[in-house]
Amino acid sequence: MATITTWFTLGLLGELLGTAVLAYGYRLVPESTRRRYLLLVAIPGIAIVAYALLVLGVGTVQTESHTVYAVRYADWLLTTPINVLFLGLLANAAREDLVKLVGLQALTIVFGFAGAVTAAPLSYGLFGLGALAFAGVVYLLYGAVAEAAGRALGDLELSLYRTLRNFVVVLWLVYPVVWLLGLAGIGLMDVETSSLVISYLDVVTKVGFGLIAMYGLSTISSRSGPTATAHPADD
Amino acid sequence: MVSPVPGAEDRLLVYMTDLEAKASEISSQRAGSRTLVVGTDGRFVFHHNTSRVGTVAPVSTLDGDPLGELEPGNSTFVETDSMVMGLSRLEGQDWVVMTHSKPSEAYALSRQINSDLVGLILLAVVNLGLVGVTIGGNTIASLRRLSAKAEAMADGDLEVELETARTDEFGTLYGAFDNMRTNLREQIAEAESAREEAEAAREEAEAARADVEQERNEMEALSSHLELKAQEYSDALDAAADGDLTARVDTESMSDAMAAVGEEINATLAALESTIANMQTFAANVLQSSDRVASNADRVDEASQQVASSIEEIFEGATEQNEGLDSAASEMENLSATAEEVASAAQQVADTSQSAADVGEDGREAAQAAIEEMGEIDDVTKETVAEINALDDDLDEIGEIVSVITSIVEQTNMLALNASIEAAHADGDGDGFAVVADEIKGLAEETKEAASDIEARIERIQAQAGDTVETMESTSQRISEGVDTVEEAVEALETIVEYTEEVDTGIQEIDHATAEQARTAQDVMGTIDDISEISQQTATEADVVAGAADDQEAAIGQVADAADELGQRAADLESLLERFRVDASGEVGANTATAETDD
């Protein structure tokens, strides 16, 4: 029977491999987007540290009923705002919207962690607040930020924005489900299984997000160069 | 345990076992659960804790008495709050085998399976989401966008963007749309260019008709204009024939040929005018120049005479210089000879001083030798004094010996006296003693006289030796004084030698200086010879120049005559050219430069 450390080790390997591939991709993307691209490399890079700590068994919080892996929440608190920040920058969103996106996403993680370390009725209340914050993020990504993208971006970039946004929203929705089904919620899933699912999700969201963005950016550079100029909204 | 053996009624199989060990073994067959055996009466048969064997099992006190109701060979299941039990009654015995464990442990597997199932479902959902977002979402979005582009093109907007990152059928479809759009654009462009060409052809035809009408009007105007121009040209040429070369025709004409004729006339008139003007200017210039030449020739003549007299002076000066140089050369020769004499005299002095130095050196060496010899004499004298002193000592000893002898002689004398007394006493034979005594007495007196004589001589020798020693000591002192004197002489000689050497060095320097002077005098003499030669040449050349100046003077006289004649001819020419009237400034067309009026 595989132990929880096995899943953490596999997660660590996945993040390492993903970071290596994304770092190689730095040479493929156009010059003008390279600074922004570093955000994408940083996401699995931060996760490497988190998983290394998990493998070593560092950074856990023991509540009355179960163990909470606080390192994970620290990882998410850093990486998920970077994800939405990248989306906002790609869409040429207003500065105000960027701040809102990052702030709401950070709140989502903070409330999720608070819910995980507290006991039953309060924990669900905090979870609910986190869910509301994430709903705000989703609202912005489909509303104001998407409009900014439609105004500012060419066909290829707009397509990339939509794919990345849908990817993030759909896959991130699985995290709260794991929270609810796991020991923090109704306890249908034991800690090993939820660790397996979360490790897999982490690798897929962090590395997958980066790979899709890398492919998109490099394709744009090979087709027409970076087209940051405004195009008439043709859709 | 006892069991009858089938077929052998008087035999029983007895099977003995260690209940305690067995009970523990059975009890711990499965982790987290315990297996016990209970009799139907409710008492433990096997228990891992042997002290409880025979006691009443808690299960027998439960409601419904599960032990009592259990038929042999059947099993049942009992669940309490703290325990889950499986009961199974054996067929051959009134025993019930009972396995019980805690509910959490019993249901762990089930919960594990549930948990894994949920996990698998979530993973599947994740993967579905992944595929849906990346592939499905893209397909729908691509189709929607492509249809929007197609509609925009149908509405006439051919500038829509047709790009996609996809390389599959969608990519092909986008490419096909792009080609279609390009073809449409080309066809529309061709149609428009055809229409524009047709309009341009119509406009050209109308323009050609207007041109023809305009030409006819122009021809009529031209013929009347040509007549007018011909009259104008004729007037200008008449005026030129009368000598007025300033007249010009107006070349403005509708006909190019007429304008060309007008320009030719103007050019001819201008050429003629400039030629005449040039000739007039030239004649005036010649007149002016010949005047200047005449006056210049006079001035040159005057200058030539001055040159001739200057040359004469130069000649005289050169001659004087030559003479002066000759005397300088002879004086220099004298100087050179004197210097050589000084040099040889200095050489002699040098030789002399050298030999003086040598002599001084010899004297010093001789004095040194004398000092050494005197030293040696002094040493010998001192040795001699010592020897004489030693001799003196010896003589003293001899004196003492002589004293001894003298005393012996006196004693002998006494003996002789005594003998003579004895002889006197012994009459008879006493004559013999008396004779011997007399003889001894005589001998002793002789010896005494001899000793006295020796003593006197020794004293004399001693006195002489003392004199000799004194003499020698005074000699030695004198020698020491002589040595000091000779050393002073040596020092004086050395000083002389040094002075002589210094003198020699000075003389050598004088010699060198004199030789240098002689050489310099030689050089000066050579230079003076050169200068003398040059001044002779100068005198000769001055003579030649004087001759040339005379020749020049004559030539300048001829030039003055020729200039006068030329002036006369120029005046004639000027009066001839008076007839023509030309523009006073002489400024004429640039094409009139080909003047053919050389005179």
Side-chain angles (χ1 to χ4, degrees), chain B residues 211-462:
Chain B
D211 285 354
V212 169
E213 272 184 19
Q214 202 182 346
E215 262 180 36
R216 190 165 52 77
N217 291 341
E218 280 175 4
M219 283 304 288
E220 282 173 11
L222 186 63
S223 64
S224 62
H225 165 78
L226 284 178
E227 281 175 22
L228 206 68
K229 275 282 162 187
Q231 189 57 45
E232 203 182 306
Y233 289 179
S234 166
D235 291 350
L237 289 172
D238 283 349
D242 292 344
D244 180 9
L245 296 177
T246 58
R248 292 288 184 279
V249 299
D250 182 5
T251 58
E252 283 287 317
S253 173
M254 293 162 86
S255 160
D256 287 347
M258 211 61 190
V261 170
E263 276 168 13
E264 288 292 318
I265 289 169
N266 277 350
T268 311
L269 286 175
L272 205 54
E273 189 191 12
S274 106
T275 307
I276 299 296
N278 279 345
M279 277 167 69
Q280 284 177 355
T281 314
F282 177 70
N285 286 347
V286 167
L287 196 58
Q288 215 174 344
S289 299
S290 58
D291 280 352
R292 278 208 297 273
V293 167
S295 72
N296 284 348
D298 285 348
R299 280 212 295 274
V300 168
D301 191 23
E302 210 175 310
S304 298
Q305 279 169 10
Q306 281 175 4
V307 168
S309 71
S310 299
I311 288 164
E312 202 70 39
E313 283 170 19
I314 289 170
F315 181 68
E316 283 168 14
T319 312
E320 277 175 26
Q321 192 185 14
N322 200 9
E323 285 164 7
L325 285 172
D326 278 347
S327 71
S330 67
E331 277 172 21
M332 274 326 275
E333 265 170 27
N334 288 342
L335 178 64
S336 175
T338 312
E340 274 168 12
E341 280 171 19
V342 170
S344 66
Q347 192 61 45
Q348 279 174 5
V349 172
D351 292 346
T352 311
S353 70
Q354 189 64 47
S355 54
D358 292 345
V359 172
E361 187 67 27
D362 290 350
R364 195 179 62 78
E365 281 168 10
Q368 201 68 43
I371 287 168
E372 281 166 15
E373 275 179 26
M374 278 179 180
E376 279 170 22
I377 291 166
D378 194 24
D379 293 344
V380 172
T381 308
K382 277 173 184 160
E383 280 172 23
T384 312
V385 169
E387 279 171 16
I388 289 169
N389 284 337
L391 184 62
D392 193 27
D393 293 345
D394 288 346
L395 288 174
D396 283 345
E397 282 172 21
I398 294 169
E400 281 167 19
I401 295 164
V402 169
S403 300
V404 173
I405 295 168
T406 306
S407 68
I408 293 168
V409 167
E410 280 173 358
Q411 283 171 8
T412 311
N413 211 8
M414 286 294 273
L415 285 174
L417 189 55
N418 289 344
S420 63
I421 293 167
E422 285 295 321
H425 284 298
D427 293 327
D429 302 330
D431 288 345
F433 272 116
V435 174
V436 172
D438 283 345
E439 279 183 16
I440 288 169
K441 193 181 172 185
L443 272 175
E445 278 178 1
E446 278 176 32
T447 304
K448 194 180 172 184
E449 282 168 16
S452 306
D453 193 34
I454 288 167
E455 201 173 357
R457 281 178 190 232
I458 285 168
E459 276 172 4
R460 223 168 37 240
I461 288 168
Q462 271 180 329

Side-chain angles (χ1 to χ4, degrees), chain B residues 147-218:
Chain B
S147 80
K149 311 270 183 202
E151 276 173 18
M153 275 161 61
D155 290 347
D157 176 13
L158 293 180
E159 301 302 317
V160 290
E161 204 175 306
L162 274 171
E163 276 187 323
T164 181
R166 302 181 66 142
T167 52
D168 53 8
E169 285 73 12
F170 276 97
T172 318
L173 202 53
Y174 266 86
F177 267 96
D178 200 17
N179 285 341
M180 192 173 82
R181 178 176 62 172
T182 314
N183 288 339
L184 264 175
R185 259 191 213 144
E186 282 170 5
Q187 282 174 11
I188 288 169
E190 278 172 17
E192 285 196 353
S193 71
R195 189 170 53 80
E196 280 167 10
E197 278 172 18
E199 278 184 10
R202 191 169 53 77
E203 280 170 10
E204 274 176 23
E206 281 185 9
R209 192 170 52 77
D211 285 354
V212 169
E213 272 184 19
Q214 202 182 346
E215 262 180 36
R216 190 165 52 77
N217 291 341
E218 280 175 4

